[in-house]
C-alpha cells in the first residue's frame, strides 16, 4: 500500500478531531504504563478492507503520543471474506494509546469493509457477464483514496479519480458547449488526453457522440430496453457505460444489455458500515 500526503493529513485530522489533547476518561481510569492485549472482531459476515490504513494510523498515532507502536498481528487480509465472530487482528501495547485510537481505527475498518462488502455483492450479481463495475466520484470528501481502494478490494474497478485525470463531458458541459458533437470535437482538438467520455441521454446524442469519435459514451439513466437499443446502434464502434439508478436488484439486467461498464454511485455514497468491535482480552 502506497500512502500519499492526503491520507496522512486525513488521519492526522481524525486524531485532532477525536483525541485532541487526550482521552480524559482513560487518563482518570487507566495506569499510564499499563499494557494490554486486544482483539478486533467482526460481528457480521463481510469483506475486509482497510487494514493498511489502520496500521498507518497507529504509526502516526505513535508519533502523536511520542510512544512505541502498537503491535498488530493480522489474522486476515484485505479482500478476505470474514465470517461473523472471527478475529480480524490482535493488538498489543499501551492501554491508553490503544483506547485512544480504538474508535478511529474501527471507523476506518467499518466504513471501508462496508464498501468492499457491497461491491462484492454487485460483482456476484454479474458473474459470468463480461462487464466491469465502476465506482464514481460520489465519495466522502477527503476519504476518496480510501473508499476507491475499498471498491477495488471488493472486486470493482475505479472510474476516474478526480476532475484532473480524465475527461468526462456531462450535461452541464454540453449545455455550455452547445451540443454533444461540439463538446467532443473541442475536447478532441485539445490534444491533451487520448480518451474522451461523454454523457448522452437519448439516441440522437449517442449518434452525435459516435460521429465525433468519442471513446466512451455514458448512457445516462436509460431504461433496459433503451440500453439494448443503444448497444445495437453502437455496434462496437464505441465503449458504452450504463449510469444512473443501478441497484443490486437490476444490475444483472443492466449487464445483460451488452454495455461494457456499469458505474454505481451507491458503492461509496450509500454503503452500510459493517459491525466491527475491539475487545481487551488481557492485561499484561
Amino acid at each position: 500500500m502506497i500512502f500519499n500526503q492526503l491520507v496522512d493529513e486525513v488521519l492526522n485530522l481524525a486524531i485532532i478531531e477525536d483525541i485532541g489533547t487526550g482521552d480524559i476518561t482513560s487518563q482518570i481510569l487507566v495506569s499510564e504504563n499499563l499494557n494490554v492485549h486486544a482483539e478486533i472482531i467482526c460481528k457480521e459476515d463481510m469483506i475486509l478492507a482497510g487494514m493498511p490504513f489502520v496500521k498507518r494510523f497507529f504509526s502516526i498515532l505513535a508519533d502523536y503520543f511520542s510512544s512505541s507502536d502498537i503491535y498488530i498481528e493480522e489474522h486476515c487480509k484485505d479482500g478476505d471474506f470474514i465470517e461473523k465472530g472471527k478475529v480480524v487482528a490482535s493488538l498489543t501495547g499501551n492501554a491508553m494509546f490503544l483506547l485512544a485510537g480504538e474508535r478511529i481505527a474501527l471507523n476506518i475498518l467499518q466504513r471501508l469493509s462496508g464498501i468492499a462488502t457491497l461491491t462484492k455483492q454487485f460483482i456476484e450479481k454479474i458473474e459470468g457477464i463480461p462487464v466491469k463495475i465502476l465506482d464514481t466520484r460520489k465519495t466522502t470528501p477527503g476519504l476518496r483514496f480510501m473508499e476507491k481502494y475499498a471498491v477495488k478490494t471488493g472486486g470493482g474497478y475505479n472510474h476516474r479519480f478526480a476532475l484532473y485525470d480524465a475527461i468526462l463531458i456531462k450535461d452541464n458541459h454540453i449545455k455550455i458547449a452547445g451540443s454533444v458533437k461540439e463538446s467532443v470535437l473541442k475536447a478532441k482538438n485539445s490534444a491533451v488526453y487520448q480518451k474522451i467520455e461523454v454523457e448522452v441521454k437519448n439516441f440522437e446524442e449517442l449518434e452525435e457522440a459516435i460521429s465525433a469519435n468519442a471513446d466512451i459514451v455514458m448512457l445516462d439513466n436509460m431504461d433496459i430496453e433503451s440500453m439494448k437499443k443503444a448497444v445495437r446502434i453502437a455496434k462496437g464502434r464505441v465503449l458504452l457505460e450504463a449510469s444512473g439508478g443501478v441497484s443490486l436488484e437490476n444490475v444483472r439486467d443492466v449487464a445483460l444489455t451488452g454495455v461494457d461498464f456499469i458505474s454505481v454511485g451507491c458503492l461509496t455514497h450509500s454503503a452500510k458500515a459493517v459491525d466491527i468491535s475491539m475487545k481487551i482480552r488481557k492485561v499484561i
Side-chain angles (χ1 to χ4, degrees):
M1 169 59 62
I2 299 174
F3 293 93
N4 60 21
Q5 184 180 354
L6 177 60
V7 172
D8 283 1
E9 288 177 358
V10 167
L11 295 176
N12 275 297
L13 283 173
I15 291 170
I16 294 169
E17 174 186 62
D18 196 50
I19 302 171
T21 56
D23 173 4
I24 60 175
T25 307
S26 294
Q27 288 170 2
I28 295 169
L29 299 177
V30 181
S31 170
E32 185 176 341
N33 297 317
L34 183 70
N35 287 328
V36 295
H37 177 76
E39 293 176 339
I40 294 176
I41 306 155
C42 70
K43 300 175 75 175
E44 62 181 284
D45 292 351
M46 67 177 194
I47 301 295
L48 179 65
M51 282 305 299
F53 297 107
V54 168
K55 292 168 70 176
R56 179 62 175 169
F57 160 67
F58 277 118
S59 176
I60 292 173
L61 189 62
D63 292 337
Y64 189 81
F65 272 86
S66 299
S67 173
S68 59
D69 285 332
I70 293 289
Y71 173 72
I72 302 175
E73 181 183 1
E74 298 176 69
H75 303 301
C76 309
K77 65 181 184 298
D78 278 12
D80 284 350
F81 171 74
I82 314 294
E83 292 183 341
K84 177 181 178 180
K86 187 165 184 179
V87 175
V88 173
S90 300
L91 303 92
T92 305
N94 180 268
M96 290 187 66
F97 181 13
L98 189 57
L99 290 171
E102 174 186 0
R103 177 42 52 200
I104 297 172
L106 291 180
N107 284 350
I108 292 169
L109 284 181
Q110 289 177 313
R111 173 67 178 153
L112 300 192
S113 296
I115 291 171
T117 301
L118 180 58
T119 302
K120 185 65 172 179
Q121 291 170 356
F122 271 90
I123 297 302
E124 289 172 347
K125 289 286 187 179
I126 62 162
E127 184 177 0
I129 305 173
V131 62
K132 292 182 178 180
I133 297 292
L134 307 177
D135 57 21
T136 70
R137 286 169 44 243
K138 296 176 181 178
T139 56
T140 309
L143 300 185
R144 182 171 296 167
F145 186 92
M146 295 185 189
E147 292 178 349
K148 281 183 170 281
Y149 165 84
V151 169
K152 290 183 69 175
T153 301
Y157 292 82
N158 295 151
H159 207 296
R160 61 175 178 167
F161 183 82
L163 293 173
Y164 53 74
D165 65 349
I167 290 180
L168 173 49
I169 303 167
K170 297 183 72 84
D171 56 345
N172 287 327
H173 300 114
I174 295 165
K175 181 71 173 179
I176 292 169
S179 70
V180 167
K181 186 171 184 177
E182 286 300 315
S183 338
V184 174
L185 290 176
K186 190 168 185 179
K188 285 280 188 181
N189 289 336
S190 72
V192 177
Y193 297 96
Q194 292 184 342
K195 291 190 180 298
I196 307 295
E197 180 170 3
V198 61
E199 176 184 279
V200 304
K201 59 182 181 294
N202 54 49
F203 304 129
E204 181 182 352
E205 290 186 342
L206 174 60
E207 293 282 12
E208 283 187 56
I210 294 171
S211 68
N213 292 318
D215 300 287
I216 306 171
V217 173
M218 177 186 289
L219 307 176
D220 181 41
N221 283 294
M222 287 190 180
D223 59 32
I224 297 297
E225 291 307 313
S226 295
M227 281 189 270
K228 288 179 180 178
K229 183 175 178 179
V231 170
R232 292 195 297 270
I233 291 171
K235 295 178 181 176
R237 293 178 291 168
V238 64
L239 295 173
L240 296 178
E241 174 185 333
S243 179
V246 181
S247 66
L248 284 171
E249 289 69 34
N250 68 12
V251 68
R252 188 167 184 86
D253 289 336
V254 174
L256 288 169
T257 64
V259 295
D260 303 283
F261 310 104
I262 305 173
S263 53
V264 185
C266 72
L267 296 180
T268 50
H269 71 58
S270 297
K272 174 184 172 292
V274 297
D275 194 358
I276 304 174
S277 66
M278 188 184 82
K279 298 294 183 184
I280 291 178
R281 297 304 190 192
K282 184 169 61 175
V283 176
I284 302 171

